[in-house]
Amino acid sequence: EYFRIEASHTPAKPTDPVLVDVGYKIVKADFDPAKLEAGTFEIELDLANVKSGIADRDAHLASAEFLDVAKSAKGSVKVSGLKKDGDKNYSGEATVSLKGIEKKFPIKLEVLEVGADGSVKVKAEAAFTLADFKFGNAEGKVASDLKATVQLVLKKI
């Protein structure tokens, strides 16, 4: 399970994409596993807990240029408006709050597994840009286009 941001360098490097794992907690999940269309869920992001595999980069991401953790160490993602796009695929909307900025993004969600306990394992993704949350890029080394990918198990809360 993960909440991950994928980013690339400008110009691209052979090690791209850079994968940044963000700490998270599911704080709300209201759904029927047989009918996700009516469901909603909310994830709280722990922005002080980002891991890219390089401590200096993690510190830079926490700085005012990017996540500005000193001002707000939490963020949120609220998913709603799911519509079935096939057997296990859905589209919907994610309302993301970071750094006092709230934006809505289209998302794609895939059901990977439905558990006997009523849980649902899902994978979701959404695209966004540096400008969406006023992320800086003083050195011009980060490509503007980013992607969030999430894989988690939802249980009714």
Side-chain angles (χ1 to χ4, degrees):
E1 295 181 31
Y2 56 84
F3 191 107
R4 184 171 291 148
I5 306 300
E6 295 182 23
S8 294
H9 293 90
T10 299
K13 292 184 177 181
T15 55
D16 285 345
V18 173
L19 303 177
V20 180
D21 287 322
V22 180
Y24 74 92
K25 173 172 67 170
I26 300 166
V27 293
K28 179 183 177 191
D30 185 15
F31 63 93
D32 175 347
K35 188 173 175 155
L36 284 183
E37 296 93 319
T40 60
F41 60 92
E42 182 176 349
I43 301 167
E44 180 182 273
L45 302 176
D46 179 2
L47 303 177
N49 184 13
V50 296
K51 305 254 185 282
S52 69
I54 299 174
D56 285 348
R57 178 169 46 212
D58 297 348
H60 189 198
L61 290 171
S63 75
E65 186 176 9
F66 289 100
L67 294 171
D68 205 1
V69 171
K71 282 191 180 172
S72 178
K74 301 289 181 193
S76 70
V77 178
K78 297 175 185 176
V79 174
S80 61
L82 293 173
K83 294 181 179 130
K84 201 157 187 160
D85 286 344
D87 185 35
K88 295 182 177 195
N89 296 307
Y90 295 82
S91 59
E93 183 175 79
T95 303
V96 181
S97 295
L98 287 178
K99 296 173 54 172
I101 301 168
E102 186 174 281
K103 295 246 180 192
K104 294 179 188 274
F105 299 94
I107 64 162
K108 297 283 185 193
L109 184 138
E110 177 186 2
V111 174
L112 301 175
E113 183 181 320
V114 177
D117 61 355
S119 65
V120 179
K121 184 176 186 177
V122 298
K123 183 175 185 176
E125 67 178 47
F128 65 104
T129 68
L130 290 173
D132 285 327
F133 295 103
K134 298 182 182 172
F135 293 149
N137 193 11
E139 297 176 17
K141 292 183 177 178
V142 181
S144 177
D145 295 326
L146 306 167
K147 181 168 72 170
T149 58
V150 180
Q151 185 170 303
L152 45 81
V153 175
L154 297 171
K155 294 179 182 176
K156 278 187 133 182
I157 298 175

